[in-house]
Amino acid sequence: MLVDQLQTNPQIPVRAVKHQLESNLEVKIHPQKAFRALQKAKKTLKGDYKDQYGDLRDYVIELRRSNPGSTVKIEVEDCHDPSSSTRVFKRIYICLGACNRGFRAIGRDLLGVDGAFMKEPASGFLLTDVGLDCNNGIYPLAYAIVESECLSSWTWFLELVASDLELNEMSNFTFISDRQKGLISAVAKVFPVAEHRFCLRHIHENMKKNWRGACATATTVPQFERAMAAFKDFSEPAYVYLTKIPPAQWTRSHFSG
């Protein structure tokens, strides 16, 4: 019953499951029991994600078979028991052959690198390496699943990218990224002469944490005037630009309601 519902509504909340079970069974159901029932139904529908790690090597073989020239690397945790027949997954790197050949054909020595946190159940970090195509669109080159965004994982990732693109440490590529410390050190280590630029969007987002637009969020006229005076000291050209826009159109202190 729950499996059928998950197929049509994958985001069904636990409270809805609880209500439905209580209606069908005519008994009170604890929320935790409803949660376990939902998890069991998801496992029945999608399989156990932990068991799927055992299929990784078959996945690698299939990728290489169906995508000639692809690079797929798996790294496992150090094993304290050499006699053990099992290993614990640590990282995987994938660069499809077609993407590699296409990037080389484009011939633009520019790569953007970034990392994103992966939510449960399979936590970790997704590292990506993208270029620009002839229309300035995003062109995917390689990606990896790693344990964390650190110097070790970024160095491992960039060294594999360098190997795929046949780049040496003196290659004069241009990299664009955020200011993640491990990434900055890794680029300097693997490509010491490369130009490393920082993404303006990330800089802007980080600036907003410290400067949240006090002029626009001021709720009284005196507060607005103090914020504008401080902003003038920060940047007079930007201050002059703002003064040309009627305050009633952009600051809360001058809104009518």
Side-chain angles (χ1 to χ4, degrees):
M1 177 179 64
L2 277 179
V3 173
D4 295 335
Q5 284 192 322
L6 278 173
Q7 289 179 317
T8 57
N9 181 17
Q11 303 300 325
I12 183 172
V14 174
R15 63 178 180 275
V17 173
K18 177 178 180 296
H19 176 72
Q20 182 176 340
L21 289 175
E22 289 178 340
S23 298
N24 292 338
L25 302 176
E26 297 183 352
V27 294
K28 282 292 184 180
I29 301 293
H30 192 276
Q32 190 62 35
K33 184 170 290 187
F35 173 78
R36 291 197 298 269
L38 182 59
Q39 294 301 108
K40 188 174 181 179
K42 288 181 178 180
K43 185 180 294 187
T44 301
L45 182 62
K46 298 180 179 181
D48 190 335
Y49 79 93
K50 292 182 180 179
D51 293 340
Q52 294 176 19
Y53 281 98
D55 298 329
L56 270 178
R57 296 196 182 278
D58 292 334
Y59 176 64
V60 171
I61 293 172
E62 179 60 23
L63 276 180
R64 290 173 175 165
R65 183 199 66 78
S66 58
N67 299 269
S70 296
T71 301
V72 188
K73 300 284 187 180
I74 293 180
E75 189 170 295
V76 297
E77 297 284 359
D78 293 334
C79 184
H80 300 292
D81 181 10
S83 63
S84 175
S85 60
T86 60
R87 295 293 184 270
V88 177
F89 171 81
K90 184 177 182 181
R91 304 165 175 166
I92 184 170
Y93 167 89
I94 298 174
C95 177
L96 299 179
C99 292
N100 191 340
R101 293 189 294 272
F103 182 81
R104 290 167 179 263
I106 293 171
R108 303 183 73 171
D109 297 345
L110 174 68
L111 282 172
V113 287
D114 199 5
F117 176 70
M118 297 174 57
K119 296 182 179 180
E120 294 289 349
S123 59
F125 282 81
L126 172 66
L127 308 184
T128 58
D129 208 341
V130 300
L132 292 177
D133 62 20
C134 298
N135 294 318
N136 287 331
I138 293 177
Y139 186 94
L141 174 64
Y143 61 95
I145 307 297
V146 299
E147 71 284 6
S148 65
E149 267 195 294
C150 60
L151 175 60
S152 172
S153 60
W154 274 119
T155 301
W156 178 78
F157 179 65
L158 291 175
E159 286 176 344
L160 289 172
V161 170
S163 176
D164 275 328
L165 297 180
E166 299 179 351
L167 304 176
N168 58 50
E169 63 179 11
M170 302 306 291
S171 295
N172 190 23
F173 247 64
T174 297
F175 292 89
I176 299 177
S177 73
D178 62 6
R179 294 185 293 170
Q180 205 276 333
K181 293 180 179 178
L183 175 54
I184 294 174
S185 301
V187 172
K189 179 180 179 180
V190 182
F191 303 103
V193 302
E195 184 172 349
H196 192 180
R197 302 174 183 173
F198 294 143
C199 172
L200 183 59
R201 179 182 176 184
H202 283 91
I203 294 175
H204 178 242
E205 291 297 323
N206 289 331
M207 284 182 65
K208 289 198 302 184
K209 296 176 182 178
N210 297 318
W211 295 281
R212 294 183 176 274
C215 300
T217 58
T219 55
T220 65
V221 173
Q223 185 182 1
F224 168 75
E225 292 174 347
R226 288 193 298 270
M228 286 293 285
F231 188 63
K232 183 178 181 180
D233 293 337
F234 175 73
S235 174
E236 187 165 353
Y239 167 82
V240 173
Y241 174 82
L242 279 180
T243 58
K244 296 178 180 179
I245 306 174
Q249 295 178 342
W250 64 277
T251 173
R252 292 174 61 188
S253 60
H254 288 69
F255 289 165
S256 60

